[in-house]
Every structure is written in C-alpha cells, then in structure tokens.
C-alpha cells in the first residue's frame, strides 16, 4: 500500500466515521439536510483555498462557521422554515463560489479530492475527528434529550445553549473536513446516509451510534480503495458505497 | 410558620408584546396540589412555562431555596420518540438513570419491568404516559409541573395516572402544579385551584370555596353545568 493511499484512508475514515456518528444526532433532530447548505456555503472558502494553494478544509471552516451563524440568526429573526433557509444559503454559497472558483479546478471543491491529502491534513483530520467523536459521545444523551423535547431538557437543568454550541461546532468541523473528502456538493450525504442506514438496523441508541460510525468507516474505506484502483474520484465513490449500504439495510428496517 | 415555597407577585407574561398573563399574584406552600384551570387561550401553559423560567416575565417570582423540578409538558407522548431507536432503558439513560434501577421505577407506576427492552415509541399511550411519570419522578423532584398529562389517554388511564401521582405526592412530600381542563381532577385531587380566563378574571383558593357556579360562568364566559347520575 502506498503512503499516499494510507494517508487518504486515515483521513477518509476519520472524517466519514465522525460525520456518521454525529449524523445520528442530526437525523434525530431532522437536521441532516442542514449539512448540505453548509457544504455549499463552504464552497467560496474552498475556492479561495484552491486559488491561493492552502488546505480546502482550512478555507472551508470559517465559511461553515459563518453559515451556521447566518442560519441561526435568520431562523430566530424570520421564523422561516429550515427548508426556506436551506434554499437561500445553498444558492448564496454556490453563487459566491462560482464568482471566484477557477472552473478548471472546480472538481476538487465540488466533489472533493482526498487522494492528494498531505501528512498535516491527515493528522488534523485524525485529531479533529477524534475530538468530534469524543465530544459527541460525552454529550450524546443531553443533546438527544434536547432533540426530543427542549423544554423538558431545560427543566432537567440541561444548559441548552451550551450543548447547542457544542453540537453546532461539531457540525462545523465535520462539514469543513467533509469538503476535503466528498466536496461541497455532497457533505449532507456524509452525515445523513450512514445514520439513516444505521437507523434501519438498530433497536437501541448505542447500536444506532455504533452502526452509523461503522457504516461511515466502511463506505470511506471501500470508496477510497476503489478510487485508487479505478482512478475515479473518491468522493462520489464514498457516497455511492454509502447509498448501497443503505439500500442493503432497507429490508432490515425496524419499524 | 414556614415560608411559602413559591411566591408570585404582580406577575405578567407577554408573547410578542401581547399580554397573556397580567399582574397575577398567588403563593404555593410545600406539599400543595395546585391545579391551574381555565379555558383554551387563557394562558395556563404560558404561566407554567414562565414559572419554570422558560419564558420571560415581569414581576416577582421567588422560590424558597432551590427546589428540584420535574416537568411533563403538554403533547409529550410516544409520537415524540416514535422514529428513534430508543428503548425504555435508553429513555431513562437520557437522565443518567442506570438500567438496574428502572424495573423498580416502572413498578411504582404499575408497569411490568419486562418492557425495558421495548422501544419507547412503541408503548401504548397509557404505558408511555405512566413511564413518563416514573421518568420524571426518578430524579426525586421537590416540585412537579404537569401540563395536561392525561390528554391523550382514556378516562380510566387518566384516573390511574392521577392516582399514581397522588400516591407519590403523599409519599414524597411533592408539591404539584397541574394544568387541566378536567373539573373532576380539581375536585378529586387538588388542594388549591388557580383560575385564569381570557377576560382577565382570576380566582385562587380551596376548590370548594372558589369554584362557585358564578366563578365558573365568569371563567368560561358561559354557564358551566355539572351533571351527575
């Protein structure tokens, strides 16, 4: 196995595993789709990173954080449904990106390019992915209670603002990292598909989180290996593998 | 004489600048079962949420000490968790209650411990409501806020819930603040009643003293007949 493939696999597994685990909380809050517009909003950052030659995730991160703040403020201010905000943020992100993004280099921003990831980016993905998993695991029951009934969580003494901040920060990290793996167009799939497949086969919360993480790891591993063998882009292959796993779990879905 | 557990004075709550509760004053002592009664839109749920600190208010709201609070909100039923892979054990785990303690807690509310592996969203309406009572009592609250806890269940199930609550209320020195539309509940279980109406009328006191036909007429804006066979 080449050193580059090993780096790609470590990065991909860290990103997809942590995104999928966090995805179980996003799915239970009916928020999995929010990763989509955030990924699109990361595109201008990815474009700047490509133009000036630095890490795509690094470029994406401030734009994702900005996107989360914008969506949060717009929701409070306008009380608009999440679908409407999604459409606004989606369009703004894509439009801004295409003002700056050199079209001949657009592929890496749109569908990701994990095959050229460096040592520093791999280490960063591993550390940040581990932090997301550890933080999510520690806050899981509290965030799930907030997802189920926010007022009950408050009355139980849960600091809802703090946990929402932790939760949104974790989303910002996985989306920014996800742009490297699957590009700005498909980050929602990275959190939503493994979590949805895990829900099909799980009876308990513990099975839900474990299965999602496992499906994320399997799809990124297979996607990256098939990419290395066929020279097709890894991002779409990771997502397609994930979709196949989801389809396999459909007959097993527990009502 | 012991100080009031809760003192509420000149208490007002507005939603989007529209006044819902205006200049309300009442007090609750430890161990009371206070029912908040009133027609739709009179602000019962708003009052409960404001007392819980979930909505902003003006006026005085003073608790004696820092009581542990339990809250069962309106509309919290099995549909809230139906789409989740969440067993009864997981549900108690949300407030860090270990699996070993759950069967005894369920027994308190008349549910067989064998349900712990079942999905919470697959329990019947009555079972889920009873489980919620066990869940909210599990952290030994001093004060229990209930917002129409028996809305989605039949009359017998509702009576069972209130009997269970009353048993725990007596055994644990609970103080209960309960919102309901059901006058039977007021007469059967409450030590005190607080009436809210859309027309600003309020009453507060012992049910048999304050719930006169005239007060009920003022409260609902129409004659309220109490039938018996």
């Amino acid at each position: 196995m080449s050193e580059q493939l090993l780096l790609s696999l470590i990065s991909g597994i860290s990103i997809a595993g942590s995104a999928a685990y966090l995805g179980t909380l996003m799915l239970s809050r009916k928020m999995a789709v929010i990763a989509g517009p955030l990924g699109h909003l990361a595109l201008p950052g990815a474009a700047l990173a490509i133009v000036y030659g630095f890490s795509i995730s690094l470029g994406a991160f401030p734009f994702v954080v900005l996107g989360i703040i914008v969506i949060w403020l717009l929701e409070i201010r306008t009380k608009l449904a999440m679908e409407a905000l999604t459409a606004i943020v989606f369009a703004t992100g894509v439009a801004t990106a295409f003002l700056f993004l050199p079209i001949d280099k657009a592929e890496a921003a749109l569908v990701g390019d994990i095959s050229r990831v460096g040592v520093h980016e791999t280490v960063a993905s591993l550390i940040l992915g581990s932090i997301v998993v550890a933080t999510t695991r520690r806050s899981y029951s509290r965030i799930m209670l907030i997802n189920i009934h926010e007022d009950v969580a408050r009355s139980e003494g849960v600091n809802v603002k703090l946990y929402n901040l932790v939760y949104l920060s974790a989303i910002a990290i996985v989306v920014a990292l996800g742009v490297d793996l699957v590009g700005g167009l498909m980050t929602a799939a990275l959190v939503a598909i493994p979590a949805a497949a895990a829900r099909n086969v799980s009876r308990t919360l513990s099975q839900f989180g474990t299965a999602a993480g496992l499906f994320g790891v399997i799809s990124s591993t297979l996607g990256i290996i098939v990419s290395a063998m066929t020279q097709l882009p890894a991002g779409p292959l990771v997502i397609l593998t994930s979709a196949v796993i989801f389809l396999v779990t459909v007959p097993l879905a527990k009502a | 004489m012991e100080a009031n557990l809760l003192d509420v004075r000149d208490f007002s709550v507005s939603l989007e600048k529209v006044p819902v509760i205006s200049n309300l004053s009442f007090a609750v002592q430890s161990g009371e079962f206070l029912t908040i009664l009133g027609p739709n839109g009179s602000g019962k749920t708003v009052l409960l949420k404001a007392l819980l600190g979930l909505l902003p208010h003006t006026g005085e709201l003073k608790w004696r000490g820092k009581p542990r609070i339990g809250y069962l909100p309106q509309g919290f039923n099995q549909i809230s968790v139906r789409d989740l892979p969440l067993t009864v054990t997981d549900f108690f785990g949300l407030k860090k209650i270990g699996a070993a303690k759950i069967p005894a807690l369920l027994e308190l509310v008349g549910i067989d411990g064998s349900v712990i592996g079942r999905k919470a969203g697959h329990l019947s309406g009555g079972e889920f409501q009873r489980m919620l009572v066990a869940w909210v009592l599990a952290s030994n609250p001093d004060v229990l806020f209930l917002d129409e806890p028996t809305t989605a269940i039949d009359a017998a199930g509702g009576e069972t819930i209130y009997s269970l609550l009353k048993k725990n209320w007596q055994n644990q020195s609970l103080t209960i603040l309960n919102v309901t539309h059901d006058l039977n509940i007021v007469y059967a279980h409450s030590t005190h009643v607080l009436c809210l109406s859309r027309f600003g009328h309020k009453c507060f006191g012992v049910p048999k003293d304050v719930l006169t036909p005239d007060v009920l007429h003022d409260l609902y804006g129409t004659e309220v007949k109490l039938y018996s066979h």
Side-chain angles (χ1 to χ4, degrees), chain B residues 160-215:
Chain B
T160 308
I161 294 289
Y162 275 105
S163 299
L164 290 165
L165 284 167
K166 194 159 186 179
K167 196 170 84 181
N168 284 281
W169 169 59
Q170 286 159 340
N171 292 346
Q172 296 184 17
S173 308
L174 265 175
T175 302
I176 295 180
L177 279 76
N178 175 48
V179 165
T180 185
H181 286 290
D182 190 343
L183 285 170
N184 283 328
I185 299 299
V186 183
Y187 288 115
H189 301 292
S190 307
T191 59
H192 291 74
V193 60
L194 171 70
C195 316
L196 301 176
S197 85
R198 288 192 297 265
F199 316 106
H201 181 84
K202 296 141 202 163
C203 76
F204 178 65
V206 178
K208 72 178 174 60
D209 291 344
V210 298
L211 286 184
T212 62
D214 287 344
V215 166

Side-chain angles (χ1 to χ4, degrees), chain A residues 177-225:
Chain A
L177 292 175
V179 174
D180 241 353
L181 178 58
V182 298
L185 289 184
M186 294 183 289
T187 44
L190 212 53
V191 295
I193 301 178
R199 188 199 162 281
N200 284 342
V201 297
S202 305
R203 271 197 78 81
T204 68
L205 278 188
S206 151
Q207 291 172 1
F208 189 29
T210 308
L214 196 62
F215 291 155
V217 167
I218 292 171
S219 38
S220 61
T221 305
L222 288 179
I224 290 166
I225 289 174

Side-chain angles (χ1 to χ4, degrees), chain A residues 24 27-30 79 137-142 144-145 147-156 198-199 202-206 208 254-255, chain B residues 16 49 52-54 69-76 80-87 90-91 93-96 117-119 122 135-136 139:
Chain A
T24 59
L27 197 73
S28 70
R29 203 169 183 166
K30 299 185 173 31
K79 309 278 183 210
R137 190 174 158 78
R138 197 173 164 77
S139 343
Y140 203 89
S141 60
R142 295 307 197 195
M144 187 59 81
L145 184 55
N147 290 353
I148 292 170
H149 207 299
E150 192 171 311
D151 282 348
V152 171
R154 280 183 212 276
S155 71
E156 290 288 328
R199 188 199 162 281
S202 305
R203 271 197 78 81
T204 68
L205 278 188
S206 151
F208 189 29
K254 297 178 191 299
Chain B
E16 295 181 353
K49 285 188 172 187
L52 280 163
L54 302 174
I69 302 285
Y71 175 41
L72 286 188
Q74 194 177 23
F76 189 16
S80 316
V81 296
R82 193 178 51 192
D83 295 334
L84 293 173
L86 182 89
T87 61
D90 288 330
F91 194 74
L94 296 178
K95 53 197 287 184
K96 315 274 185 204
R118 279 173 61 190
K119 279 191 178 180
H122 288 185
W135 187 81
V136 81
S139 42

